[in-house]
């Protein structure tokens, strides 16, 4: 198996059977990712050095407008897509094997968890993985200690309140909060001109 085959399989949403070729490749990628996140998290790095490490981690170019405050962990890296002007604060934990897309202008607070893998409720298949992507729109703000679960899409300009657990899609231009997260209010765009 190669990286392109793995990503295509994960992006298909098909079950990853424990012990399968896909599952073994997933474990191999995780080991490579552990090395890179250890490098990122255990010494000071300039913003430029952080972007270089993140580019190696994702296998994609990272914009000069990207900023991250370590520590940061993820389990794959190669299924993580980051837009322009994205900021990720300290302590975030991503599980990107199922795919994470972060839109331009997004702000992610301390200790946010983005999880893209579920396990089967049936104990006979509990070790199988069920991937589902997280898609974050543009100009989203995710507050500290929020958790976003597999398969969630967050619309443009949405705000996820601190501590929220997001279990279903979030429309654009709303604030959600709570466990599970629900719409708290709608966001009105500033119509003032300078």
């Amino acid at each position: 198996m190669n990286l392109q085959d793995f990503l295509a399989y994960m992006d298909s949403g098909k079950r990853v059977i424990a012990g399968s070729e896909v599952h073994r490749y997933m474990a191999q990628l995780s080991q490579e990712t552990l090395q890179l996140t250890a490098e990122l998290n255990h010494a000071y790095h300039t913003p430029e050095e952080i972007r270089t490490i993140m580019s190696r981690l994702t296998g994609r170019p990272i914009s000069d407008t990207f900023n991250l405050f370590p520590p940061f962990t993820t389990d794959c890296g190669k299924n993580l897509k980051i837009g322009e002007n994205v900021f990720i604060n300290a302590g975030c934990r991503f599980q990107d094997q199922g795919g994470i897309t972060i839109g331009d202008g997004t702000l992610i607070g301390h200790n946010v968890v983005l999880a893209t893998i579920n396990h089967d409720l049936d104990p006979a298949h509990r070790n199988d993985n069920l991937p589902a992507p997280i898609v974050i729109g543009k100009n989203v703000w995710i507050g500290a200690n929020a958790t976003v679960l597999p398969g969630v899409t967050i619309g443009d300009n949405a705000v996820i309140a601190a501590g929220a657990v997001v279990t279903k899609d979030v429309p654009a231009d709303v604030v959600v909060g709570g466990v599970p997260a629900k719409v708290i209010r709608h966001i009105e765009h500033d119509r003032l001109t300078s």
Side-chain angles (χ1 to χ4, degrees), residues 79-137:
N79 214 0
L80 175 59
K81 300 170 190 84
I82 302 171
E84 300 280 330
N85 295 303
V86 169
F87 173 70
I88 300 173
N89 217 325
C92 290
R93 297 183 179 274
F94 292 4
Q95 180 189 53
D96 71 288
Q97 291 169 328
I100 296 172
T101 301
I102 302 172
D104 297 345
T106 291
L107 306 173
I108 299 178
H110 288 94
N111 301 315
V112 167
V113 173
L114 303 179
T116 64
I117 298 288
N118 256 327
H119 293 279
D120 202 304
L121 291 177
D122 179 353
H125 300 283
R126 185 73 42 86
N127 290 328
D128 292 354
N129 292 294
L130 307 171
I134 292 172
V135 178
I136 300 169

Side-chain angles (χ1 to χ4, degrees), residues 147-186:
T147 299
V148 181
L149 297 182
V152 168
T153 295
I154 301 173
D156 293 349
N157 308 310
V159 175
I160 310 302
V165 177
V166 184
T167 60
K168 61 183 181 179
D169 290 354
V170 175
D173 301 308
V174 298
V175 178
V176 300
V179 180
K182 294 181 170 52
V183 174
I184 296 171
R185 63 183 284 203
H186 292 270

Side-chain angles (χ1 to χ4, degrees), residues 65-88:
T65 63
F66 171 76
N67 282 293
L68 175 137
F69 288 172
F72 169 80
T73 60
T74 192
D75 61 0
C76 176
K78 300 300 189 263
N79 214 0
L80 175 59
K81 300 170 190 84
I82 302 171
E84 300 280 330
N85 295 303
V86 169
F87 173 70
I88 300 173

